[in-house]
Amino acid sequence: MSSESGRKLKFHILRYDPQTPGDKPRMETFEIEEAPGMTVFIALNEIRAKYAPALQYDFVCRAGICGSCGMVINGRPDLACRTLTAKFPKGEISLMPLPAFELIGDLSVDTGKFMRAMTERIEGWIHDESKDNVNLDQLEARMDPDTADKIYELDRCIECGCCVSACGTKRMREDFLGAVGFMKVARFEIDPRDQRTDADYYDLIGDDDGVFGCMTLLGCEDTCPKDLPHQSRIAYLRRKMAQVR
Amino acid sequence: MKIVYTDSLVIGGGLAGLRVAIATKQRGLDTLVLSLIPAKRSHSAAAQGGMQASLASTGKGEGDDEDVHFSDTVKGSDWGCDQEVARMFTQTAPKAIRELAAWGVPWSRVRAGDREVIINAQKVTLTEKAENEGLITARDFGGTKKWRTCYTADGTGHTMLYAMDNRTIELGIPVHERKEAVALIHDGSRCYGAVVRDLITGELIAYVARATTIATGGFGRIYAVSTNAIINEGMGAAIALETGVATLGNMEAVQFHPTAIVPVGILTTEGCRGDGGLLKDKDGYRFMPDYEPDKKELASRDVVSRRMTEHMRKGKGVPSRYGDHLWLDITLLGRAHIEKNLREVKEICEYFLGIDPVKEFIPVRPTQHYSMGGVRTKPNGESPTLSGLFAVGEAACWDMHGFNRLGGNSVAETVVAGMIVGEYVADYCANTRVQIDTSLVERFVKQEQYVINTLLARTSGENPYELKAAMQAIMMEKVGIFRNGADLQAAVSQLTTLLRRSRNLAVRTKAPHANPELVEAIRVPRMLKIALCVAQGALARTESRGAHSREDHPERNDRDWLKRTLATWDPGSPDSPTLSYESLDILKMELPPGFRGYGNDNTIPHPDTAVRMAQIAQIKADNPTFDRFEMQRVLMPYELPPRFTGKNERAGIGVK
């Protein structure tokens, strides 16, 4: 290990435990020394181990693939695990929980409950009555290789919730589905295994809490950590849904 | 006291757990899944490169079948696996992948015609048959004779987990998130469910079930650097161990993956090398052909990890402030291939290393990756000693991996074992009823409440974060890739000291509800028990087999060590596990022990090996007309739920 010392980082973190009677939301500041390659994940672990043992946050994979650690980092929703502290020249980093989700405490929010409800709402699974009667001994149904690649492109969503937090429409409409839900619908809509028709999708998203409510502010497109094509898919779904009669 | 009743309780919401839940739900049983986190965030999602199944639809997979997959798996295990289980697995894997195709996984497909690939650093043109267009394709992985690893780009685990969880939601199976099982409820012979702590409210809830399935993944986080998700702390295995009745198998069998990035230990998939990537040293020299001229970079994981370590010990590593490392070079694969088929790898390099792997080498070194050991089960997934307790996936020692798991066989195990064990769990639930005295449940809940109350009440004591870090450092330094008696002895003694100290843990935050420090304090003593099982098992095993490599005992010793380590934790001797052994019967093996083909053969043979080889030769001579299925059945009969016994069709050859 090198002995050279890094710069001082200042973390301003929202603290609030809704389960402690009388507790009030407040910002707390922690100073730590930066290390090479330090991420917000590494920094938060150090802060918890040294200064704030009860600090709540969520990490699982710490590799940018599980979507657990969405939080608002210097004003922008992002994955904390893969955010390098070196990205912030001033060395000051503010961390807030993702808005639009139920707060568990400090930086931890309940995205799980939201995402399950979202999947139930759009019935986010392959609709094919024969899928339980597939003879597993036989060759699988063929799929055009390009179609498979296209489905994967849209299937890469990790349900981190950044798009929902960055959504202006969601702030105004509590029941707005949000970009994560549209992306799922877009994914199933191009999947030849799913037997649903546009009319079926219209029943799910053909209203103001669905794709017609989107004000096209596109915070989703700006913040999606997986660079999913929200803008083009929302536009595509809207055109499709507008054609349903 | 809050009690939740169900038929099938599954602890863990990754691929294995969800597949068991789906199986029991589809059999009409009330089913409930507990998970620390939302199920889609489970570590299964991290499986990048693919799932092995012998579909043989790609040109380089031609000639593949269950037999070849079986042989690769047994050799890969260094003959430490249960061959009947390996057979159950290889027979069912094609069905599992086809099931997932129907459930929505967008498997990458065969594209007819020519394509350029890199094999052994050379550009080669492969031609795929027009009649195979649109079937599920496969890539090369280490330790396999054929290209058998099916994939969706390098997001295989993600797409599998999403399809599986979507199916779970479709079937209306409840997943109770942010719940941690902290004890199993049992009476010494039968398991009745678990005591569960709500990680938000802190409440203890008893879940009573006919069958309880542990599907909590591995225990990589007992090491300071691991590719595992941070939730992989072995708590499922630990609560099974703490029953004093259930056993853990082969805990010393710990896999180190050759290519995790330095320093953070995030995995880059074996698909990097499968697709043609090379390992290079500080001089930019490709060294693997010198050590393993045949399989080179695609030798089995344990072999590659050891060769890399050997090479670094010769001074050929690249020095860095985080210690020596080597290079993974995928630049020769080209931008188009990397951006399409290795895109997670590219993202990881960009975000965590600030490099572009299209142009620059990736700093890698072998890193803890997989737990071959776990809750010992019979081939039906049930604990041999605690009825009603099942285990599946990485949490289990089922035992299809023996002492070294092949790449692509773990994510395959999750779904295949989930299908098979799920049926047996359903059978168990259908055939048993629970009669339980609620005072037994109450006793277990009170015991856990007492532990928590004591932790919260203690005004000063040991710091859980510090003890955990000390344990992780010991495991890294002394229970790593190369092991020796002196280091292992020191590890056992230091871990024992830590375990004693952990009885005096105190937390600074007294909140009884959501409190990460309290969670840590509850887990650390259990992690230490797991760590002791690993270290003590490794110390006792005076041979080298698969990933367990003893510098002081370099030979694989079939004569004395062709057996599975079993660890139990006797409440009467609280400082260490009790080890016992279960022999592997060579006279029942379809594939008797042989040479794996790496380095020099220094095996000390078991006398039964020659006997069994002669028996097999005789059986083959006596039955010259048998096809491969008939021959397999006489060599080593095995059980499987009837719905999985059908022959697997392959393109162009049918069911031959």
Side-chain angles (χ1 to χ4, degrees):
Chain A
M1 282 293 191
S2 163
S3 59
E4 71 192 72
S5 59
R7 59 181 180 154
K8 288 268 182 271
L9 295 174
K10 268 192 187 171
F11 280 86
H12 309 289
I13 300 175
L14 183 119
R15 302 300 306 273
Y16 176 49
D17 178 1
Q19 292 187 78
T20 296
D23 199 37
K24 294 226 163 58
R26 64 202 180 276
M27 297 301 285
E28 285 184 3
T29 298
F30 303 93
E31 268 192 30
I32 59 167
E33 191 182 310
E34 191 172 37
M38 182 177 255
T39 59
V40 172
F41 163 69
I42 295 170
L44 280 173
N45 281 340
E46 191 174 324
I47 290 167
R48 185 193 267 178
K50 283 188 182 162
Y51 310 112
L55 180 61
Q56 294 185 62
Y57 48 75
D58 295 313
F59 290 95
V60 178
C61 76
R62 62 78 177 88
I65 58 116
C66 80
S68 298
C69 65
M71 57 182 75
V72 180
I73 305 170
N74 279 355
R76 195 183 167 88
D78 206 344
L79 300 179
C81 72
R82 66 176 203 188
T83 299
L84 294 165
T85 55
K87 196 174 140 184
F88 304 102
K90 289 184 184 158
E92 301 225 4
I93 299 167
S94 83
L95 301 176
M96 309 264 232
L98 287 184
F101 297 98
E102 196 174 307
L103 180 75
I104 292 171
D106 301 334
L107 302 172
S108 173
V109 295
D110 198 339
T111 51
K113 192 192 278 182
F114 177 96
M115 294 299 168
R116 170 123 182 175
M118 178 273 298
T119 297
E120 286 168 349
R121 177 169 164 188
I122 60 140
E123 299 180 18
W125 50 83
I126 298 286
H127 285 54
D128 172 9
E129 285 180 5
S130 69
K131 75 170 183 262
D132 279 330
N133 302 317
V134 173
N135 184 336
L136 300 178
D137 300 342
Q138 294 175 356
L139 291 188
E140 64 277 10
R142 286 164 204 263
M143 183 184 280
D144 170 55
D146 292 329
T147 303
D149 291 351
K150 280 182 194 147
I151 297 168
Y152 176 61
E153 273 306 299
L154 306 185
D155 203 31
R156 294 183 301 109
C157 169
I158 56 172
E159 300 190 357
C160 60
C162 288
C163 60
V164 177
S165 296
C167 178
T169 310
K170 172 73 183 166
R171 294 299 174 84
M172 298 173 60
R173 291 185 172 277
E174 203 184 327
D175 293 330
F176 185 60
L177 179 62
V180 58
F182 299 137
M183 188 54 62
K184 306 270 170 185
V185 171
R187 176 242 175 276
F188 287 104
E189 199 271 339
I190 62 161
D191 193 324
R193 294 167 292 195
D194 198 310
Q195 306 296 316
R196 281 180 283 185
T197 62
D198 287 350
D200 294 328
Y201 292 119
Y202 187 90
D203 288 342
L204 300 172
I205 60 165
D207 62 11
D208 285 354
D209 281 332
V211 78
F212 297 121
C214 169
M215 298 189 295
T216 330
L217 297 172
L218 295 174
C220 50
E221 178 90 8
D222 294 342
T223 57
C224 177
K226 292 287 153 182
D227 295 322
L228 288 162
H230 294 288
Q231 179 176 357
S232 77
R233 289 307 92 191
I234 291 171
Y236 170 85
L237 287 177
R238 234 189 220 176
R239 198 184 58 190
K240 275 257 172 193
M241 293 300 104
Q243 288 165 351
V244 174
R245 44 173 99 220
Chain B
M1 181 175 60
K2 187 168 165 185
I3 304 184
V4 176
Y5 293 94
T6 188
D7 295 328
S8 168
L9 175 67
V10 179
I11 305 172
L15 278 170
L18 293 181
R19 188 60 188 81
V20 169
I22 289 169
T24 56
K25 182 73 180 181
Q26 287 188 312
R27 292 269 298 269
L29 296 156
D30 190 61
T31 300
L32 201 155
V33 179
L34 299 172
S35 179
L36 295 174
I37 54 171
K40 284 191 173 84
R41 312 216 185 286
S42 303
H43 188 50
S44 303
Q48 297 170 356
M51 154 170 179
Q52 284 204 45
S54 58
L55 300 181
S57 299
T58 182
K60 283 285 196 178
E62 265 178 42
D64 200 11
D65 57 28
E66 301 83 7
D67 296 0
V68 187
H69 191 185
F70 169 76
S71 157
D72 283 346
T73 301
V74 173
K75 286 179 186 169
S77 78
D78 221 350
W79 276 272
C81 74
D82 181 329
Q83 295 193 9
E84 288 183 34
V85 168
R87 269 290 171 192
M88 296 166 78
F89 163 73
T90 53
Q91 158 68 14
T92 311
K95 301 179 205 306
I97 207 159
R98 287 168 175 163
E99 178 177 82
L100 285 165
W103 291 0
V105 174
W107 297 110
S108 296
R109 302 289 171 142
V110 175
R111 208 179 288 273
D114 290 352
R115 69 193 157 112
E116 216 164 61
V117 299
I118 307 284
I119 298 176
N120 192 22
Q122 304 293 321
K123 278 190 184 164
V124 178
T125 301
L126 297 183
T127 310
E128 299 293 355
K129 289 179 181 165
E131 60 265 35
N132 289 355
E133 164 105 359
L135 295 173
I136 296 170
T137 192
R139 58 166 40 132
D140 201 7
F141 252 40
T144 64
K145 273 217 175 71
K146 302 285 179 185
W147 289 27
R148 185 188 300 127
T149 305
C150 307
Y151 60 94
T152 38
D154 63 351
T156 313
H158 168 87
T159 60
M160 291 170 72
L161 182 61
Y162 271 54
M164 192 71 84
D165 188 49
N166 290 340
R167 186 87 180 103
T168 305
I169 297 171
E170 179 187 2
L171 293 170
I173 300 169
V175 178
H176 291 193
E177 296 172 6
R178 295 181 188 263
K179 299 277 193 295
E180 175 163 3
V182 290
L184 292 174
I185 301 165
H186 67 96
D187 60 10
S189 60
R190 192 193 190 300
C191 178
Y192 295 102
V195 180
V196 174
R197 182 166 181 271
D198 184 314
L199 293 171
I200 298 177
T201 65
E203 184 186 19
L204 289 183
I205 307 160
Y207 283 73
V208 171
R210 295 190 201 181
T212 304
T213 303
I214 291 177
T216 51
F219 49 82
R221 287 284 158 180
I222 63 173
Y223 288 81
V225 185
S226 167
T227 65
N228 285 190
I230 58 170
I231 54 169
N232 295 134
E233 300 185 312
M235 288 304 102
I239 59 173
L241 181 69
E242 286 189 335
T243 60
V245 184
T247 54
L248 305 186
N250 283 346
M251 294 297 279
E252 66 272 29
V254 175
Q255 180 173 80
F256 292 79
H257 193 290
T259 60
I261 63 170
V262 178
V264 288
I266 296 171
L267 183 72
T268 59
T269 171
E270 187 156 314
C272 291
R273 282 170 290 132
D275 290 2
L278 305 175
L279 292 170
K280 293 182 170 174
D281 66 14
K282 67 173 184 182
D283 305 318
Y285 176 72
R286 182 189 175 195
F287 56 91
M288 276 306 296
D290 295 352
Y291 293 99
E292 297 297 340
D294 185 21
K295 291 293 275 182
K296 308 178 185 73
E297 281 84 358
L298 288 172
S300 246
R301 282 183 179 169
D302 58 329
V303 176
V304 179
S305 288
R306 276 196 294 276
R307 296 308 199 184
M308 290 170 75
T309 306
E310 274 180 73
H311 202 61
M312 287 191 282
R313 285 180 174 181
K314 287 179 187 164
K316 294 294 183 182
V318 185
S320 83
R321 63 185 298 151
Y322 300 106
D324 287 0
H325 64 77
L326 292 159
W327 298 117
L328 172 63
D329 173 13
I330 60 170
T331 61
L332 68 169
L333 305 184
R335 180 174 299 279
H337 181 90
I338 292 171
E339 289 185 348
K340 178 157 178 279
N341 287 316
L342 297 169
R343 108 191 247 169
E344 294 289 342
V345 170
K346 185 161 187 282
E347 270 188 30
I348 286 165
C349 289
E350 287 166 351
Y351 280 99
F352 294 95
L353 298 167
I355 64 162
D356 178 0
V358 174
K359 297 179 191 151
E360 294 163 88
F361 295 174
I362 308 167
V364 295
R365 100 181 132 215
T367 301
Q368 194 287 338
H369 180 60
Y370 189 80
S371 314
M372 273 78 75
V375 180
R376 177 69 187 132
T377 73
K378 299 182 282 190
N380 71 355
E382 190 182 11
S383 164
T385 44
L386 189 57
S387 171
L389 178 68
F390 291 77
V392 67
E394 191 175 348
C397 179
W398 186 31
D399 158 19
M400 62 166 273
H401 304 302
F403 277 76
N404 174 61
R405 167 177 78 71
L406 295 181
N409 257 358
S410 71
V411 79
E413 180 190 13
T414 62
V415 291
V416 173
M419 286 170 94
I420 296 171
V421 172
E423 292 303 318
Y424 289 123
V425 173
D427 290 346
Y428 183 89
C429 289
N431 296 328
T432 58
R433 295 288 176 273
V434 172
Q435 288 201 329
I436 185 167
D437 184 348
T438 51
S439 66
L440 178 75
V441 179
E442 202 173 336
R443 178 156 68 78
F444 277 91
V445 173
K446 276 187 172 159
Q447 168 61 27
E448 294 310 309
Q449 194 62 62
Y450 172 78
V451 170
I452 291 166
N453 292 347
T454 309
L455 280 169
L456 290 170
R458 199 174 280 130
T459 49
S460 71
E462 300 282 357
N463 177 327
Y465 297 113
E466 283 174 20
L467 288 199
K468 181 176 172 182
M471 167 194 70
Q472 290 172 326
I474 294 166
M475 295 304 289
M476 288 294 281
E477 281 168 29
K478 301 189 165 71
V479 200
I481 294 176
F482 285 105
R483 302 165 173 183
N484 64 68
D487 279 351
L488 290 168
Q489 185 61 63
V492 167
S493 109
Q494 290 168 12
L495 290 168
T496 308
T497 305
L498 289 179
L499 181 65
R500 291 189 186 127
R501 284 171 60 189
S502 76
R503 294 190 188 119
N504 188 35
L505 284 169
V507 292
R508 289 160 284 178
T509 314
K510 303 299 182 187
H513 51 268
N515 179 349
E517 191 185 22
L518 178 61
V519 170
E520 202 79 321
I522 293 170
R523 291 181 190 168
V524 162
R526 297 196 168 113
M527 292 180 80
L528 282 163
K529 288 181 180 172
I530 294 294
L532 268 164
C533 289
V534 176
Q536 210 148 305
L539 175 62
R541 184 173 285 273
T542 49
E543 67 152 358
S544 293
R545 184 179 299 275
H548 171 70
S549 186
R550 285 283 296 256
E551 291 165 311
D552 45 353
H553 298 278
E555 65 292 336
R556 188 183 91 195
N557 184 345
D558 288 351
R559 187 191 60 207
D560 304 316
W561 282 104
L562 197 59
K563 49 193 182 184
R564 193 172 287 121
T565 309
L566 297 177
T568 48
W569 203 279
D570 177 1
S573 61
D575 285 348
S576 64
T578 306
L579 300 184
S580 60
Y581 295 91
E582 171 184 12
S583 288
L584 275 64
D585 188 354
I586 293 171
L587 297 176
K588 287 187 177 161
M589 286 183 185
E590 183 176 343
L591 194 62
F595 176 45
R596 279 172 89 198
Y598 300 116
N600 301 318
D601 185 5
N602 59 359
T603 305
I604 300 173
H606 190 288
D608 284 352
T609 300
V611 176
R612 182 60 179 161
M613 306 245 302
Q615 280 177 355
I616 290 174
Q618 190 61 50
I619 292 170
K620 286 185 174 168
D622 290 348
N623 301 287
T625 60
F626 275 15
D627 66 16
R628 68 184 184 93
F629 302 102
E630 292 164 323
M631 186 54 70
Q632 197 287 316
R633 269 196 297 276
V634 291
L635 288 177
M636 190 184 68
Y638 65 95
E639 297 275 319
L640 202 57
R643 51 183 300 207
F644 304 134
T645 54
K647 291 179 182 175
N648 297 306
E649 184 186 1
R650 289 183 180 80
I653 60 162
V655 294
K656 268 183 257 172

